Amino acid sequence: MIDFEEELKKFHPSLEVEDAEEAIYNQDLTDMADLLIKMLDKTKTEEE
Amino acid sequence: MICYKCGCRLSEHDFCTGCGADVGLYKRIMFMSNRFYNDGLEKATVRDLSGAIVSLRQSLKFNKNNIEARNLLGLVYFEMGEVVSALGEWVISKNLRPQKNIADDYIGMIQSNQARLDTINQTIKKYNQALLYCYQDSLDLAVIQLKKVLSYNPKYVCAHQLLALLYIMSEEWEKAHRELEKCRQIDTNNTTTLRYLKEVEHMLMPEEAAKGASPKKAVKENVVRYQSGNETIIQPVNMKESRGVSTLLNLGIGVLIGVALACFLILPGQIQNAKADINSQLRVVSEQSDAKTATIDEQEQTIQKLTDEKEQLSEELSKYQGTDGTLKATDGLMMAVSAYLENPEDIETIAAYLEALDEEEEGEEGSQNKTEAFTALYEDLVEDLREKLVTYYYNAGYASYRADDFEGAIPNLTRAYQYDQTNGDALYNLANSYRRSGDNDKAKELYAEVIDQFPGTEKANRSETYLAEINNAE
């Protein structure tokens, strides 16, 4: 049986157009490639 | 694929031919990203939008610069009605690759139409408001708001799902099913949609869910199901309608229902229309009547005004008639003067005109309207003729007296004494005429005047005698 209250919690307010800019700026764009490069740089620095 | 260190194009080797950097792991990451992108593309192709979103997000976690994956993610968001999220992905994509990027076209498509952008924003606000209503337990308002949202943006999956959830809570299973079907048409493999759908189908057909597949076949043998728009029609097969008597019975019932409808629905409407017509006609007649009443009032006022004017004119006319009388008197005087100028010795004619003038004066209440010139002329004429007039009237009066014609004597003697107050004989004979005609009162008055005006004369002595006789006789 569906629990209305629990289901309702899964719905979140949508982003409005005015908030889009802020959302874009706050988005974390770090990816696996960035992490790899950082790790390689760090290893190289430690070796030196 | 390019080297993350020097930007050189990478070959099939695990190192960069330009700078010698180890790119084995890096290439694997790129491959993984591409693999997820392919998976997302495949899912999007079969409208598994939720699955596509998961794969594409995964792809971007491996490689944020995977522009195709990001653009596709934006498209998928847009298809699900999440316009702002789509715009966000496309804006980032454009920033990462400013040139030759299809995201530019997508952004332009949305931004070029301001009205559409406003509608999108309004839709999102209404959805958020509906969600707020849900939190506040105003479920009816939330349903209304969500219906508006979906009329603007029919592909908004979240709104469909929320509306379906509200219908489920109010146990409107058919409506919930309809909404969830719409959701499934947009996003075929959405977990939430499928979960709700399972619940709804369980409530709609509980025996089917319990018995499993074999009863379904049995049902399928008895019914025919087909889709008409958003509705699923379930029609029984091999149903034969009874004919004959039942047809006639149905026909009769139909006629009765028709007559009843005519009586209860159509007739009142007709009566109402007739009443409305009569009322409108009555209103028109009433207006016309009012207008005529106003005209009549106006006419009456005009008549009253004319009557007043007539009375005023009549008064003026009577004044003029008075003036006319003066003119007539003037004419009489002119005639007398004319006769005098023509023949001064014709005292009889002149006396006749003056008598007529005197009679008119007496009839017109004196000489109040006469001018000074008229009076002066009249007095001058009388002064010139006074002696002759006295002689004429005295002689005529005395002759009549002697002939016992007292009716003729009295006016002549009266005029003789009137023109000459010193003529005692005229007064004495006038008194005798009244006495002998039987008017003792007047005779007594005149005898008294003779005694008073002419004392010590023969006439006064005789007057005393006659006065005593009259008094003794009374």
Side-chain angles (χ1 to χ4, degrees), chain B residues 101-118:
Chain B
N101 192 342
I102 198 168
D104 205 12
D105 295 343
Y106 296 147
I107 294 166
M109 179 189 71
I110 291 177
Q111 287 183 338
S112 62
N113 192 344
Q114 185 62 37
R116 188 176 177 184
L117 198 61
D118 289 342

Side-chain angles (χ1 to χ4, degrees), chain B residues 52-71:
Chain B
I53 286 172
V54 173
S55 296
L56 292 169
R57 278 181 173 280
Q58 207 65 26
S59 170
L60 291 172
K61 274 182 186 172
F62 280 100
N63 179 16
K64 67 182 175 189
N65 294 315
N66 193 338
I67 299 300
E68 282 73 24
R70 197 172 285 281
N71 288 344

Side-chain angles (χ1 to χ4, degrees), chain B residues 8 41 48 80 426:
Chain B
C8 183
L41 182 60
D48 178 9
M80 290 179 74

Side-chain angles (χ1 to χ4, degrees), chain B residues 5 10 21 25 41 195 197 202 226 231 252 256 315 317 350 363 382-383 390 417 440 463:
Chain B
K5 208 167 185 179
L10 296 177
L25 271 174
L41 182 60
R195 194 153 47 83
L197 204 57
H202 176 72
Y226 59 92
E231 303 286 340
L256 283 174
E315 284 176 14
L317 186 64
I350 297 166
V382 169
E383 195 60 39
V390 170
Y417 181 67
N440 288 335
S463 293

Side-chain angles (χ1 to χ4, degrees), chain B residues 155-185:
Chain B
K155 289 184 177 177
Y156 204 169
V157 175
C158 282
H160 278 297
Q161 287 174 339
L162 186 57
L163 187 56
L165 179 63
L166 292 170
Y167 283 141
I168 289 169
M169 290 321 298
S170 57
E171 297 185 350
E172 293 176 271
W173 307 108
E174 286 291 342
K175 288 182 178 176
H177 190 266
R178 210 178 301 147
E179 291 303 322
L180 291 168
E181 279 297 333
K182 285 176 189 171
C183 278
R184 199 156 67 169
Q185 283 171 10

Side-chain angles (χ1 to χ4, degrees), chain B residues 39-168:
Chain B
D39 188 45
L41 182 60
E42 210 168 317
K43 286 177 177 173
T45 312
V46 294
R47 295 200 75 86
D48 178 9
L49 302 184
S50 305
I53 286 172
V54 173
S55 296
L56 292 169
R57 278 181 173 280
Q58 207 65 26
S59 170
L60 291 172
K61 274 182 186 172
F62 280 100
N63 179 16
K64 67 182 175 189
N65 294 315
N66 193 338
I67 299 300
E68 282 73 24
R70 197 172 285 281
N71 288 344
L72 182 59
L73 181 61
L75 266 183
V76 172
Y77 278 138
F78 189 77
E79 183 63 14
M80 290 179 74
E82 302 279 357
V83 182
V84 177
S85 300
L87 271 174
E89 294 302 332
W90 290 332
V91 167
I92 293 167
S93 167
K94 194 186 167 189
N95 275 282
L96 293 172
R97 190 201 286 172
Q99 302 297 325
K100 291 184 180 178
N101 192 342
I102 198 168
D104 205 12
D105 295 343
Y106 296 147
I107 294 166
M109 179 189 71
I110 291 177
Q111 287 183 338
S112 62
N113 192 344
Q114 185 62 37
R116 188 176 177 184
L117 198 61
D118 289 342
T119 308
I120 289 166
N121 203 22
Q122 285 298 318
T123 309
I124 293 163
K125 281 180 178 170
K126 283 182 192 297
Y127 171 75
N128 292 341
Q129 183 64 43
L131 199 58
L132 193 65
Y133 283 142
C134 289
Y135 291 139
Q136 294 168 348
D137 267 351
S138 303
L139 302 185
D140 292 342
L141 290 174
V143 168
I144 293 166
Q145 203 75 342
L146 286 169
K147 280 181 180 173
K148 280 185 194 169
V149 168
L150 290 170
S151 70
Y152 293 136
N153 187 0
K155 289 184 177 177
Y156 204 169
V157 175
C158 282
H160 278 297
Q161 287 174 339
L162 186 57
L163 187 56
L165 179 63
L166 292 170
Y167 283 141
I168 289 169

